[in-house]
Amino acid sequence: MADVWALGFTFAIVHMILGTSAKQGFTSGQELILFLLSVPCWLALAGLYGLYEGDRLRADTTTLDDFWPLFHAVTVGVWLTFVVSRLTNHVHASERRLILFWFLALAILPLGRVIMRVFIRSRVAFLQRTLIVGAGLVGQEIARKIQRNPSYGLELAGFVDNDPLPLHPELADIPVLGTTDDLSAIVRAYGSST
Amino acid sequence: MLAFTGDGHDAGLDVVRACNDLDVELDIVPRLFEVVGSKAQFHSLQGTPCLA
């Protein structure tokens, strides 16, 4: 969603600075329709570069991790737009317009992702409930890291372990919910996602 | 999140299978995690995953 808004914002700024492609006989409405039709292609391209995988796979994904794939995706997208515009008679985007779009998109897309991540990770509804299987030294260290870093977006539901070590004082309020044999029931009860 | 328990390998596999059945995302802390850096990548040795 952040990318859609950022692309739309970028398109609007380019439109404001350079106006419509009057030389090609476009109206603002036609340009907007062409842009809207291209949005799924941009999102598919971002998907191909793995830009929607990081948050699902890693709790500590940052926009800095996204920057190079984003740079490549935007560059390839602008280049493809240029090629398509030169190969067809119907769409003709000027180099100036494409270069400005490329520059602005490289600034606005990461900014949009930062804002969306801050927004999402600060909302309780978006927290991933998390169980840690193993309440030994490693499991407890992971739990402390999760507690110290709310930006990971993980909410610790508790531990599952057949023979837990005494919990660190920092984890006094984290319960041991049962044994690994009870895992399925615990997951169903607590709605854990990790 | 699967850290280490004293229950052995088979119990760990049961946890992974249970999470798959429940369609729950699972992160696994690898063995020798102390020396596995964040740049480590998986490759496959004829089907067996190895961390490099």
Side-chain angles (χ1 to χ4, degrees):
Chain A
M1 184 53 82
D3 289 347
V4 175
W5 281 108
L7 284 168
F9 195 49
T10 306
F11 171 80
I13 294 177
V14 171
H15 191 74
M16 276 192 299
I17 294 174
L18 297 179
T20 53
S21 306
K23 277 186 193 167
Q24 288 78 46
F26 278 120
T27 64
S28 296
Q30 285 171 325
E31 266 194 1
L32 182 62
I33 289 168
L34 279 173
F35 168 72
L36 292 176
L37 288 174
S38 75
V39 168
C41 302
W42 284 101
L43 298 183
L45 193 60
L48 284 175
Y49 276 91
L51 285 162
Y52 302 118
E53 288 292 300
D55 289 289
R56 193 177 63 79
L57 296 176
R58 292 177 52 200
D60 60 346
T61 299
T62 67
T63 302
L64 210 56
D65 298 318
D66 291 342
F67 188 77
W68 280 114
L70 207 54
F71 177 84
H72 280 259
V74 170
T75 305
V76 168
V78 169
W79 171 248
L80 287 175
T81 307
F82 174 77
V83 170
V84 169
S85 78
R86 288 299 177 274
L87 291 178
T88 63
N89 292 324
H90 303 295
V91 183
H92 188 94
S94 72
E95 288 86 351
R96 224 170 134 221
R97 189 172 289 271
L98 288 172
I99 290 168
L100 183 61
F101 185 90
W102 177 75
F103 249 118
L104 290 174
L106 287 179
I108 294 171
L109 279 164
L111 189 66
R113 285 177 161 248
V114 167
I115 292 168
M116 189 58 90
R117 281 202 175 102
V118 169
F119 174 77
I120 283 177
R121 289 177 178 173
S122 64
R123 294 291 177 279
V124 174
F126 289 104
L127 290 178
Q128 286 186 293
R129 303 209 79 194
T130 304
L131 285 174
I132 297 180
V133 179
L137 294 175
V138 176
Q140 292 193 35
E141 183 57 31
I142 289 170
R144 290 167 66 198
K145 287 181 179 179
I146 289 172
Q147 282 198 322
R148 280 186 224 128
N149 293 283
S151 63
Y152 289 169
L154 302 176
E155 182 192 12
L156 207 49
F159 291 102
V160 174
D161 199 326
N162 296 348
D163 185 19
L165 288 180
L167 293 183
H168 189 279
E170 281 181 31
L171 303 171
D173 55 337
I174 306 296
V176 178
L177 299 167
T179 67
T180 50
D181 293 335
D182 310 323
L183 184 63
S184 298
I186 293 168
V187 168
R188 285 194 194 96
Y190 285 85
S192 293
S193 53
T194 304
Chain B
M1 194 166 287
L2 180 56
F4 297 96
T5 68
D7 299 336
H9 184 70
D10 288 343
L13 286 178
D14 288 341
V15 168
V16 174
R17 290 188 185 116
C19 289
N20 281 339
D21 291 344
L22 293 161
D23 197 23
V24 170
E25 281 182 33
L26 177 66
D27 289 0
I28 300 173
V29 181
R31 292 174 64 192
L32 304 177
F33 68 94
E34 296 92 336
V35 290
V36 176
S38 60
K39 299 242 166 116
Q41 290 189 322
F42 277 106
H43 66 98
S44 176
L45 209 61
Q46 296 196 332
T48 304
C50 296
L51 267 174

